[in-house]
Amino acid sequence: MLVVDDEDDIRELLDMTLSRMGLDADCAANVAEARLLLSENTYQLCLTDMRLPDGDGLELVRFIGEQCRDLPVAVITAHGSMENAVSALKAGAFDYVPKPVSLEQLRALVKSVLNLPRQDVAQNEAASGALLGESQAIRQARAMIEKVARSQAPVYIGGESGSGKELAARLIHGQGARRDQAFIPVNCGAIPENLMESEFFGYKKGAFTGADADRGGFFQAAHGGTLFLDEVADLPLTMQVKLLRAIQEKRVRKVGAATEDPVDVRIISATHQNLKELVAAGRFRQDLFYRLDVIELKMPSLRECREDIPLLAESILARLALDSALPMPRLTAGALKALGEYPFPGNVRELENILERTLALSGGTEVSADDLHLASLVASGEDASSASSGGEASLQDHLDRVEKQAIMEALQKTRFNRTAAAKLLGVTFRSLRYRMERLGLNE
Ligand SMILES: Nc1ncnc2c1ncn2[C@@H]1O[C@H](COP(=O)(O)OP(=O)(O)OP(=O)(O)O)[C@@H](O)[C@H]1O
Ligand SMILES: [Mg+2]
């Protein structure tokens, strides 16, 4: 370990604490000394103060990022100085620890650093992992995922519906120091507002009628691991305030509890909406956005990586065939061409849905462009002759009408509670949301 701090007593204290954990530390009093030690030794962790006599901690973070890429560096920040913490994370710091450094936090930090998978191992896992594609846009996303997996910084993932935001979040968790702990995905749009606080933070026995025992919430479940706030734009403003507080303080208070408990979670958030616009419109708190959007990852739409469509289609089809114990049909050149020209408003998820339907309906060994039933979806009217037979288009229209009606009925029965409606229809919440979007039922 390398400890960089200009105050003798703090250096000694950190040194002592680390050695009590059985770890050796070298100490430097300024940036120059730190650079020298870094050029002579290899370390597992660098812990640096923010303000140093001959420069600042950020400089060291950047230097390490360039010169010793595998070395995680954590920054000690003045209490309450969120700005420093955020800029350190943006500059590539592994994590930050507020002053005064508590033993508990230092332990957690060291533990997660030692838990980082070796870079080559993580990369192997990523290579065999699920984010397929060789286009520039996907390569960039993959590289970013690998990089941010090796830090504790909050990540905000943007991108259209079905573009792989949740997949990216799982990969970040799965390649990082927290991979052996829980990954808790939370659909912020699916929780009734009056239950939100207790769902997120848990409750004490007797907090309300029916609370017959203490219970943890999402934060407690994600302790040591990652909390994935999906559709974070759907959080009501009152909950945004509470969430901000929990993230800032790294503490949560159960409903009905007198005291707060410390929690250690990494926050990854995502939405298909434009969060910046929502901030500008006053529908999402600026201060919360600032804390969530420390590192931004944008998942490309499938239209931005058209060249990946054949590869994606083949591997998704192979997986689907395997899952349903069917022989894998071959996609004809015509089918690949049709897929290559299709706009995919629902991105990879839509491609999956199209192939699933195709596989279920086609008994053959070959899938042609017609078997995909894309015609009626492709900008209707753009080329009337390409909707080869009127019969197909009207079949799709008919299916859409039936689907629409079933969804509307379920929604009415459940008073427009989408989670309950999905249950009633026997589909997942996401599948229902996707279908509603496709059918234009969202308004
Ligand atoms: N590059 C990719 N390679 C392989 N599978 C992918 C890729 N991108 C997305 N998928 C798959 O597409 C589906 C949709 O991805 P995911 O659920 O992560 O999207 P999302 O962006 O979270 O969508 P939504 O905004 O609707 O929640 C998943 O089954 C995922 O595994
Ligand atoms: Mg999602």
Side-chain angles (χ1 to χ4, degrees):
M1 311 276 150
L2 174 63
V3 172
V4 190
D5 201 307
D6 57 333
E7 280 172 68
D8 298 343
D9 40 349
I10 294 193
R11 238 171 19 235
E12 254 163 55
L13 184 74
L14 291 173
D15 187 14
M16 232 165 58
T17 313
L18 289 168
S19 80
R20 247 188 255 141
M21 291 183 217
L23 301 163
D24 269 343
D26 285 345
C27 294
N30 52 49
V31 176
E33 276 182 39
R35 285 188 188 222
L36 190 66
L37 284 168
L38 283 166
S39 67
E40 290 169 345
N41 307 285
T42 23
Y43 297 101
Q44 276 187 294
L45 167 68
C46 172
L47 190 59
T48 178
D49 194 13
M50 199 62 182
R51 216 172 305 149
L52 295 164
D54 58 343
D56 69 6
L58 278 189
E59 209 179 305
L60 208 52
V61 171
R62 291 200 191 94
F63 175 78
I64 290 175
E66 285 157 19
Q67 305 294 320
C68 350
R69 297 206 43 189
D70 287 355
L71 174 61
V73 40
V75 174
I76 305 169
T77 54
H79 181 76
S81 161
M82 234 38 255
E83 248 160 70
N84 276 342
V86 169
S87 30
L89 291 172
K90 280 192 199 287
F94 174 78
D95 206 352
Y96 67 91
V97 239
K99 265 183 197 168
V101 179
S102 77
L103 188 60
E104 185 191 337
Q105 274 175 324
L106 194 60
R107 270 225 186 91
L109 177 78
V110 169
K111 202 174 134 218
S112 47
V113 166
L114 298 179
N115 252 343
L116 274 174
R118 278 195 9 232
Q119 196 136 29
D120 49 343
V121 173
Q123 262 156 14
N124 264 340
E125 276 165 20
S128 65
L131 196 74
L132 301 169
E134 291 306 324
S135 61
Q136 183 68 14
I138 282 288
R139 279 169 192 267
Q140 262 171 15
R142 231 181 353 241
M144 184 76 173
I145 288 170
E146 268 162 32
K147 198 172 131 208
V148 300
R150 304 187 74 76
S151 114
Q152 304 293 312
V155 183
Y156 164 67
I157 309 176
E160 291 180 11
S161 190
S163 59
K165 297 186 293 296
E166 175 156 359
L167 179 59
R170 287 182 187 275
L171 288 171
I172 292 171
H173 172 80
Q175 292 173 47
R178 296 169 177 263
R179 69 195 178 291
D180 296 330
Q181 309 292 325
F183 175 88
I184 306 287
V186 175
N187 186 331
C188 298
I191 310 161
E193 193 163 345
N194 57 337
L195 296 183
M196 259 194 185
E197 191 173 353
S198 59
E199 290 282 319
F200 271 90
F201 306 130
Y203 53 78
K204 293 295 274 186
K205 179 177 176 177
F208 43 82
T209 11
D212 45 13
D214 286 13
R215 235 199 71 173
F218 300 136
F219 269 90
Q220 287 87 355
H223 185 63
T226 304
L227 184 60
F228 176 50
L229 303 173
D230 202 0
E231 299 309 342
V232 71
D234 292 347
L235 279 178
L237 284 162
T238 49
M239 195 56 206
Q240 291 178 25
V241 181
K242 292 182 178 137
L243 188 64
L244 175 68
R245 203 183 135 68
I247 295 174
Q248 247 163 6
E249 303 295 321
K250 298 192 178 177
R251 289 173 166 275
V252 296
R253 185 201 302 267
K254 284 183 172 169
V255 175
T259 53
E260 295 185 325
D261 303 314
V263 283
D264 165 33
V265 301
R266 179 178 196 186
I267 305 277
I268 303 182
S269 55
T271 168
H272 66 287
Q273 303 192 51
N274 186 329
L275 211 47
K276 271 182 204 132
E277 272 173 19
L278 294 179
V279 169
R283 286 179 43 211
F284 200 85
R285 287 185 67 103
Q286 168 90 49
D287 46 9
L288 179 59
F289 176 67
Y290 174 74
R291 292 309 313 269
L292 296 176
D293 183 44
V294 173
I295 309 278
E296 188 170 335
L297 169 65
K298 165 99 188 344
M299 293 309 290
S301 70
L302 194 47
R303 293 180 303 289
E304 289 165 76
C305 14
R306 271 191 197 288
E307 65 208 83
D308 289 332
I309 291 175
L311 168 76
L312 278 165
E314 302 270 355
S315 41
I316 291 170
L317 201 55
R319 173 168 52 78
L320 291 170
L322 194 68
D323 285 352
S324 46
L326 289 167
M328 158 140 176
R330 196 179 65 86
L331 290 161
T332 65
L336 287 171
K337 181 166 176 288
L339 286 172
E341 286 163 1
Y342 182 72
F344 289 105
N347 297 293
V348 185
R349 177 169 316 108
E350 185 174 12
L351 176 61
E352 285 179 346
N353 288 339
I354 290 169
L355 294 172
E356 199 172 357
R357 182 185 63 198
T358 306
L359 190 68
L361 296 180
S362 86
T365 53
E366 216 172 58
V367 171
S368 69
D370 284 347
D371 295 331
L372 294 167
H373 295 284
L374 296 175
S376 64
L377 294 173
V378 173
S380 42
E382 175 200 310
D383 179 4
S385 67
S386 78
S388 43
S389 68
E392 257 170 43
S394 64
L395 171 63
Q396 186 64 46
D397 285 347
H398 174 72
L399 292 174
D400 283 356
R401 263 199 306 279
V402 173
E403 192 175 332
K404 209 171 190 167
Q405 197 183 344
I407 291 175
M408 284 312 292
E409 273 169 19
L411 283 170
Q412 263 148 14
K413 271 188 204 144
T414 60
R415 292 212 213 105
F416 289 85
N417 178 326
R418 290 187 296 171
T419 309
K423 219 173 256 167
L424 201 62
L425 291 163
V427 299
T428 61
F429 175 80
R430 288 144 131 270
S431 161
L432 176 63
R433 202 185 54 203
Y434 163 77
R435 287 163 199 274
M436 287 174 64
E437 225 158 76
R438 190 176 71 79
L439 296 168
L441 288 177
N442 275 341
E443 309 313 312

